[in-house]
Amino acid sequence: MSTEAHQKVTAGHLKRNAYLYVRQSTMRQVFENTESTDRQYALRQRAIALGWPSGQVIVIDSDLGQSGASAVDREGFQQLVAEVGMGRAGIVLGLEVSRLARNSADWHRLLEICALTSTLILDEDGIYDPAHFNDRLLLGLKGTMSEAELHVLRARLRGGLLNKARRGELRCRLPVGLVYDAAGHVVLDPDKQVQETVHLLFETFARTGSLRATIKYFRQQSLLFPARVAAGAHKDELAWAPLSLGRACSAVHNPWYAGAYAFGRGRWRKQPDGRYRHERLPRDQWHVLIRDAHPAYISWQEYERYEQQLRESAKALGFERNAGPAREGPALLQGHAVCGLCGSRMNVHYYIRKDGMIPNYVCVGRGRLFGDPLCQSIQGVEIDAAVGQLLVDAITPMALDLALAVQQEITARLDEADRLRHRQVERAQYEADAARQRYMRVDPANRLVADSLEADWNFKLRALADAQEDYQRRRAADRLIVDEQERQRILALATDFPAVWRDPNTPQRERKRMLALLIEDVTLIKQREITAAVRFRGGATTTLTLPRPLTAQQMRATHEDVRRHIEGLLDEYTDAQVARILNERGMRTGAGDAFGTVSVKWVRRSAKIKCLKERLVEEGWLTVKQVSAYMGITRSAINKRRVQGKLQARICNDHGQWLYWMPEAKAMFSSGKLKSVSSTTGDAV
Ligand SMILES: [Zn+2]
């Protein structure tokens, strides 16, 4: 090789730099496999022996601790490719050069660029010129072999792991609340606080049926959730943090809590940018699932039910809205209203009015995706009230049990939360004691250690004080909610379902939960009346009929009494006079305003009531034109006679128009002897 090698190296190569690429794929290899690193650095001597001045041998070792499986994030390798591409490299040195890149594509790209820039490649076996076909073939083979080696290695490791997992013997990272005991068996965490908190998570979820309500409860009660630190100096230590939705979600989804050994619930997928993303697999694709493998927090049946519940909650946001968990809004039938026309679940829409949020039960119908108009929309206030009344009337025998259960639950929850918060204080106390003992045990002469231990002790004492203060504050707050007097009152209430139901302090969510216990669904149809068919759990049904709620226009309409009043007054008075009289008598329009000429006119027109002039003309009063035609005199002459009192006349509207009373002329007009005159306008036809 040596003679041939020297023939391959030319003066042109020597003018350029030699690059030594040093790599170890993991940090552990960097520390433990120092021999390999030494061998890589020894290649430097080979370059010098081939004629490169030592100053021209450049070492690239910034990729120590990076895997070779892809060039992404390997700065050193990219630098090498750049140098070769710009023709600055005469030779590239590396131990088993094919390992420069364990990914065939990266490797072949490097070979290509080396061939174009006539850069040599050197490893322990020899020196290669990628511009020569034979050398390139050999290098290519080496790259393929190296990739294959990696594949075989991985497959073997994975196969071993899977076999072990199939027997349930592979140790996995356990979710918080489960630990391995000395014999390697999975057991519940002996830390009582951890255990109880995990239990509380599942109990709260079972009670509320929703993850969001669960984390909300933890936050309201200032409860923290434990986690085991995954890596770093504090690996496996407990950390307490507020419960997040993500952690609550993965806990409820985690089959380990139900006593099952599960492996391969997800897989890592490579992204186009070289990063990896985790995907959750459906249960039938899990590698291993062994039930009843270890002690559990919840039964397998509970686990399956929670999964079902989470799926349903997800559906509540989807196309065919199904019954979701009870939420805060005032709509009582949320999740229980069914459209009587098309059979879909009805949504709740709210709109804001002066007196609060008004629910509407809306069916978007089956044609939502096609832009069809709404199927039906029904105002919910009256329906909610009627269904509530129905419950109050119908459920008396059940009332005691139900209300008592609700009450007991509230009390139990407060006690339970109090106990758990006290655990936090106990833990802080224990940690402070431990820190004190550590400080006491150290030799006072060892200032460095003593100082840091003292600081630690101080820190723990502060944490203890905080925990105590927090505990007292929360306890006082709870006391505020239920002091003894209150407790008696609630207990008295607990015997009375209607009172609990009607109590304005009962949150609407609780009312909805009570309703969900009693009622399966309510089918609504809006026709001339509203029909609500209530189906109780257990199969009994009742149908309620309600009048249609008033439209906005109807709600603003003038009250019937006021309208009759106006009708009566118009026998004698003009519109403006009527308005004044109504205001004097304290009457208001439908919208609640004072009357004016315009609003009287409006009521008159919409109710088709005749005005004063029309009434007078009907009675036989004559307009000035008719009088003029009858008497054969001018308007001014008529006015003169009126002023002199020779004619009986009266004003008929707000414009000051006069009408005249002439019984003798009246007959002539009605018999048609005189020219007909329009009675409403007074104009001659
Ligand atoms: Zn419908």
Side-chain angles (χ1 to χ4, degrees), residues 117-225:
T117 55
S118 76
T119 305
L120 301 176
I121 288 180
L122 179 137
D123 72 1
E124 280 192 320
D125 297 333
I127 189 162
Y128 314 91
D129 186 348
H132 289 176
F133 175 75
N134 279 336
D135 282 6
R136 199 163 65 235
L137 184 69
L138 191 59
L139 286 170
L141 265 177
K142 280 191 162 196
T144 309
M145 291 304 291
S146 153
E147 204 182 10
E149 183 194 341
L150 199 67
H151 172 79
V152 170
L153 209 69
R154 198 179 277 160
R156 234 179 253 158
L157 280 172
R158 178 102 183 125
L161 282 182
L162 279 182
N163 270 335
K164 220 170 159 189
R166 249 175 236 126
R167 297 193 300 269
E169 287 167 10
L170 182 70
R171 269 191 176 229
C172 299
R173 213 177 116 66
L174 296 178
V176 70
L178 293 173
V179 288
Y180 284 108
D181 68 2
H185 299 300
V186 178
V187 292
L188 301 191
D189 198 322
D191 186 324
K192 276 277 172 271
Q193 192 189 356
V194 172
Q195 230 182 76
E196 284 169 7
T197 313
V198 175
H199 271 302
L200 181 70
L201 171 79
F202 285 111
E203 279 158 21
T204 314
F205 180 76
R207 198 182 69 229
T208 58
S210 124
L211 286 175
R212 200 161 280 281
T214 307
I215 58 170
K216 224 166 159 185
Y217 176 72
F218 269 69
R219 198 193 58 215
Q220 279 164 356
Q221 299 294 332
S222 317
L223 295 173
L224 299 176
F225 195 76

Side-chain angles (χ1 to χ4, degrees), residues 298-372:
I298 52 172
S299 69
W300 185 255
Q301 287 74 22
E302 280 171 310
Y303 172 74
E304 299 227 291
R305 201 173 63 234
Y306 296 164
E307 290 280 283
Q308 178 69 25
Q309 236 165 359
L310 288 175
R311 265 198 299 279
E312 271 166 19
S313 302
K315 258 193 233 159
L317 303 170
F319 174 69
E320 182 64 9
R321 287 186 172 220
N322 281 319
R327 283 184 274 268
E328 303 288 347
L332 194 62
L333 302 185
Q334 169 235 317
H336 296 279
V338 177
C339 173
L341 300 181
C342 72
S344 302
R345 292 268 167 187
M346 297 181 88
N347 299 347
V348 180
H349 289 188
Y350 290 108
Y351 61 94
I352 311 285
R353 239 172 40 186
K354 257 184 269 173
D355 41 347
M357 286 217 288
I358 306 292
N360 259 4
Y361 296 109
V362 177
C363 176
V364 290
R366 299 220 175 258
R368 171 159 79 173
L369 291 183
F370 310 102
D372 288 2

